[in-house]
């Protein structure tokens, strides 16, 4: 009986260690200030409305493929409200695919988000606005990365300045003018604060996202 009790205790301890060592998103920053927003195995902390089936987990990544939909970060970090930050993700596009990463946005049940900005993810889609475009605000025509290869796309916002990097190289910088005026359909495309979102563009597009991280910067 004594031996059985010892074995049982060891099993409980091993189980606890296994659970504690599993990868997960955390609201705590590491030594370098980066905080994970995606645990690699679920959509915990994220929220999607219409066409939720456009987002699935495949091999530790968020696979985006299907009807128009947007997956919004809705977790505890900063109460999902970011002003100045660095945000980055590893991304891979399949040929002919289109997607995007939004910032300073807010949850919306359906259609294209009205609030905030979209940073383009597109290396070979028919849309000429390529990866790292600040969509319809300051666009990029050049293609810096290839389909079927993982790359890092990073967005940094400090005050009115937006910096977009691909594989640590700055490819787009935009500073919003004071008292900027937008057309009626883009009235909420202004620097403010908000959350992040990933875009499902169309059923023919398939894009993967993983290692989604944020570093909060001072105001």
């Amino acid at each position: 009986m004594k031996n059985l009790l010892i074995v049982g205790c060891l099993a409980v301890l091993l189980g606890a260690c296994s659970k504690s060592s599993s990868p997960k998103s955390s609201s705590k920053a590491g030594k370098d200030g980066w905080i994970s927003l995606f645990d690699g195995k679920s959509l915990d902390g994220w929220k999607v409305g219409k066409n939720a089936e456009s987002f699935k987990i495949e091999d530790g990544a968020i696979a985006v493929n299907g009807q128009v939909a947007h997956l919004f970060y809705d977790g505890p970090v900063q109460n999902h409200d970011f002003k100045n930050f660095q945000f980055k993700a590893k991304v891979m596009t399949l040929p002919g695919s289109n997607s995007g990463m939004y910032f300073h946005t807010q949850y919306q049940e359906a259609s294209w988000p009205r609030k905030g900005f979209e940073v383009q993810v597109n290396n070979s889609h028919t849309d000429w606005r390529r990866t790292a475009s600040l969509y319809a605000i300051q666009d990029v025509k050049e293609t810096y990365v290839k389909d079927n290869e993982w790359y890092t796309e990073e967005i940094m916002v400090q005050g009115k300045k937006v910096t977009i990097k691909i594989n640590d190289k700055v490819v787009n910088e935009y500073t919003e003018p004071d008292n900027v005026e937008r057309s009626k359909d883009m009235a909420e495309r202004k620097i403010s604060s908000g959350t992040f979102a990933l875009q499902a563009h169309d059923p023919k597009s398939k894009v993967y996202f993983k290692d989604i991280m944020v570093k909060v910067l001072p105001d």
Side-chain angles (χ1 to χ4, degrees), residues 49-122:
K50 187 177 180 181
N51 299 324
E53 65 277 5
S54 294
F55 300 93
K56 296 179 175 66
I57 305 299
E58 294 183 10
D59 299 324
I62 300 174
V64 183
N65 175 231
Q67 299 293 335
V68 174
H70 293 82
L71 180 68
F72 295 83
Y73 176 68
D74 192 50
V77 180
Q78 288 290 110
N79 195 29
H80 51 271
D81 187 22
F82 304 88
K83 183 179 179 182
N84 294 323
F85 61 83
Q86 286 175 262
F87 172 91
K88 65 181 179 180
K90 288 185 179 177
V91 187
M92 183 168 65
T93 58
L94 298 192
S97 293
N98 194 331
S99 183
M101 304 189 300
Y102 280 78
F103 68 90
H104 285 180
T105 192
Q106 65 184 15
Y107 176 75
Q108 190 173 304
E109 185 72 13
S111 192
W112 314 100
R114 292 181 295 273
K115 185 179 185 297
F117 296 84
E118 177 190 355
V119 176
Q120 179 77 306
V121 174
N122 164 25

Side-chain angles (χ1 to χ4, degrees), residues 11-219:
V12 170
L13 287 170
L14 287 172
C17 290
S18 176
K19 288 181 181 178
S20 64
S21 62
S22 60
K24 60 181 179 179
S25 59
S26 172
S27 59
K28 295 182 179 180
K31 292 181 180 179
D32 56 1
W34 288 101
I35 305 170
S36 174
L37 300 181
F38 170 53
D39 64 15
K41 58 184 180 180
S42 74
L43 295 179
D44 289 352
W46 294 79
K47 182 178 180 180
V48 60
K50 187 177 180 181
N51 299 324
E53 65 277 5
S54 294
F55 300 93
K56 296 179 175 66
I57 305 299
E58 294 183 10
D59 299 324
I62 300 174
V64 183
N65 175 231
Q67 299 293 335
V68 174
H70 293 82
L71 180 68
F72 295 83
Y73 176 68
D74 192 50
V77 180
Q78 288 290 110
N79 195 29
H80 51 271
D81 187 22
F82 304 88
K83 183 179 179 182
N84 294 323
F85 61 83
Q86 286 175 262
F87 172 91
K88 65 181 179 180
K90 288 185 179 177
V91 187
M92 183 168 65
T93 58
L94 298 192
S97 293
N98 194 331
S99 183
M101 304 189 300
Y102 280 78
F103 68 90
H104 285 180
T105 192
Q106 65 184 15
Y107 176 75
Q108 190 173 304
E109 185 72 13
S111 192
W112 314 100
R114 292 181 295 273
K115 185 179 185 297
F117 296 84
E118 177 190 355
V119 176
Q120 179 77 306
V121 174
N122 164 25
N123 300 311
S124 61
H125 187 268
T126 54
D127 187 341
W128 62 269
R129 294 178 172 93
R130 295 306 189 198
T131 293
S133 290
L134 193 61
Y135 198 90
I137 301 294
Q138 185 160 292
D139 294 306
V140 173
K141 295 181 179 179
E142 298 80 11
T143 302
Y144 289 92
V145 285
K146 298 177 181 179
D147 292 319
N148 297 317
E149 293 182 4
W150 287 104
Y151 71 92
T152 300
E153 190 161 358
E154 181 176 335
I155 307 163
M156 181 168 66
V157 176
Q158 289 184 302
K160 295 287 188 175
K161 185 176 182 180
V162 180
T163 304
I164 303 169
K165 297 181 181 180
I166 297 177
N167 291 334
D168 296 322
K169 177 182 178 180
V170 175
V171 297
N172 198 359
E173 289 184 293
Y174 169 78
T175 300
E176 183 178 271
D178 292 335
N179 303 314
V180 65
E181 293 186 8
R182 306 275 191 223
S183 60
K184 185 177 180 180
D185 62 326
M186 298 181 69
E188 295 185 68
R189 296 279 187 269
K190 293 182 180 180
I191 296 292
S192 56
S193 68
T195 192
F196 306 107
L198 307 179
Q199 180 188 86
H201 187 273
D202 63 84
K204 294 183 179 180
S205 293
K206 189 166 189 178
V207 179
Y208 295 91
F209 296 91
K210 66 179 182 179
D211 297 346
I212 303 171
M213 311 282 286
V214 69
K215 180 188 289 188
V216 178
L217 301 178
D219 292 345

